[in-house]
Amino acid sequence: LKDDKKLLVLPALFAFILSLLLLYKYSFPISWDVYYHIHMIDLYNQNGLIFWDYATVAPVGRLIMYPPLFHLCFSFISKLLNITPMELCRLAQPVFSFYLIGIITYVSYKITDIKKGVLTGFLSMFCFVTFNRSVICTPATIVIGLFMLSSLFIYRASTENSMKYLILSALSLALIWNLHMATAILTCGVVGLYSLVQIFNRRMNLKFVIVYILIVLVLGMPWWIYIAL
């Protein structure tokens, strides 16, 4: 039984069920920063892809410095389901909780074993940072999981000399750049330092580094290059 991979879904499933209580108790999404994202989703709903927010910092507005991927996706979903951005963010809370606790469980399992993975998943629900964040429908919740995946994949790319895992790590980081700048910088620091150590120890091919950088630049940087210019 302890080697049954089906057990890995238990922490995420339990987190999902607990998060359903939020839907029962509150008629609005929890946390305060989610309301900025609701505003941005609504802004894109009304105007499409724009780069200037005239609705805040009156009377001149301000440049939109937040990557638009999350807001555009939720804008599309809210129109598809014909529900308001606020209701969508509220209903998405259990899904986000399932996602983040599931990623924590998976990453722990991949670097240890099934038993420790399941245990880590359940313990993460008692941690304020992970479980509190997991039920908040914001880009930050998504990128915490992507940060862990990117770190796991670069580790496996190095230890297994695998181009597949290198590409997966680069894609994860590129997604982070399109969702949350602060986490992108943190991930670059972690992945970059680890890669540097591996290069010095001759455990990572320099070709891997070049491929990694190119993928991140092509897929993760266009928005930021536009903003900078």
Side-chain angles (χ1 to χ4, degrees):
L1 185 61
K2 67 178 182 179
D3 294 326
D4 188 353
K5 291 185 180 180
K6 294 178 183 177
L7 294 173
L8 293 169
V9 77
L10 290 180
L13 185 60
F14 191 63
F16 179 86
I17 294 171
L18 281 178
S19 301
L20 288 175
L21 296 175
L22 294 173
L23 303 187
Y24 173 76
K25 186 172 182 179
Y26 301 107
S27 60
F28 49 87
I30 63 169
S31 133
W32 60 270
D33 52 342
V34 68
Y35 291 96
Y36 168 78
H37 298 291
I38 290 171
H39 159 68
M40 293 305 300
I41 296 167
D42 194 50
L43 193 68
Y44 288 129
N45 268 346
Q46 297 176 23
N47 303 284
L49 179 61
I50 57 174
F51 302 94
W52 196 266
D53 179 5
Y54 290 98
T56 58
V57 192
V60 296
R62 60 177 173 177
L63 180 67
I64 298 173
M65 292 294 292
Y66 217 105
L69 182 61
F70 175 88
H71 308 115
L72 289 174
C73 289
F74 267 60
S75 172
F76 172 77
I77 295 171
S78 69
K79 287 183 176 180
L80 182 67
L81 299 179
N82 195 29
I83 58 177
T84 66
M86 181 174 291
E87 186 65 14
L88 176 59
C89 288
R90 174 177 170 267
L91 294 175
Q93 290 173 148
V95 178
F96 272 51
S97 183
F98 182 93
Y99 156 80
L100 186 55
I101 301 302
I103 292 294
I104 293 171
T105 304
Y106 172 78
V107 171
S108 177
Y109 150 67
K110 296 304 288 187
I111 60 177
T112 55
D113 54 43
I114 293 175
K115 181 179 178 181
K116 293 183 180 66
V118 173
L119 181 61
T120 302
F122 277 115
L123 287 175
S124 67
M125 287 189 286
F126 294 94
C127 176
F128 176 80
V129 174
T130 50
F131 190 67
N132 176 66
R133 171 53 62 180
S134 75
V135 295
I136 299 174
C137 182
T138 65
T141 304
I142 299 175
V143 298
I144 291 173
L146 290 173
F147 164 75
M148 290 186 284
L149 288 176
S150 185
S151 302
L152 170 66
F153 291 145
I154 195 66
Y155 165 74
R156 298 198 66 176
S158 173
T159 55
E160 301 177 24
N161 195 33
S162 170
M163 180 62 75
K164 178 185 76 172
Y165 286 116
L166 181 97
I167 292 173
L168 288 173
S169 178
L171 290 174
S172 299
L173 179 53
L175 270 175
I176 294 172
W177 272 111
N178 283 289
L179 290 167
H180 198 265
M181 182 178 66
T183 308
I185 294 172
L186 173 64
T187 309
C188 283
V190 171
V191 170
L193 182 60
Y194 176 79
S195 300
L196 190 62
V197 171
Q198 298 309 305
I199 291 171
F200 280 136
N201 292 331
R202 298 183 179 180
R203 295 174 183 167
M204 181 177 288
N205 194 318
L206 192 58
K207 178 182 70 174
F208 278 23
V209 178
I210 296 172
V211 171
Y212 195 100
I213 292 174
L214 286 175
I215 291 174
V216 174
L217 286 177
V218 170
L219 298 180
M221 291 294 104
W223 168 265
W224 295 107
I225 292 172
Y226 177 84
I227 291 297
L229 297 176

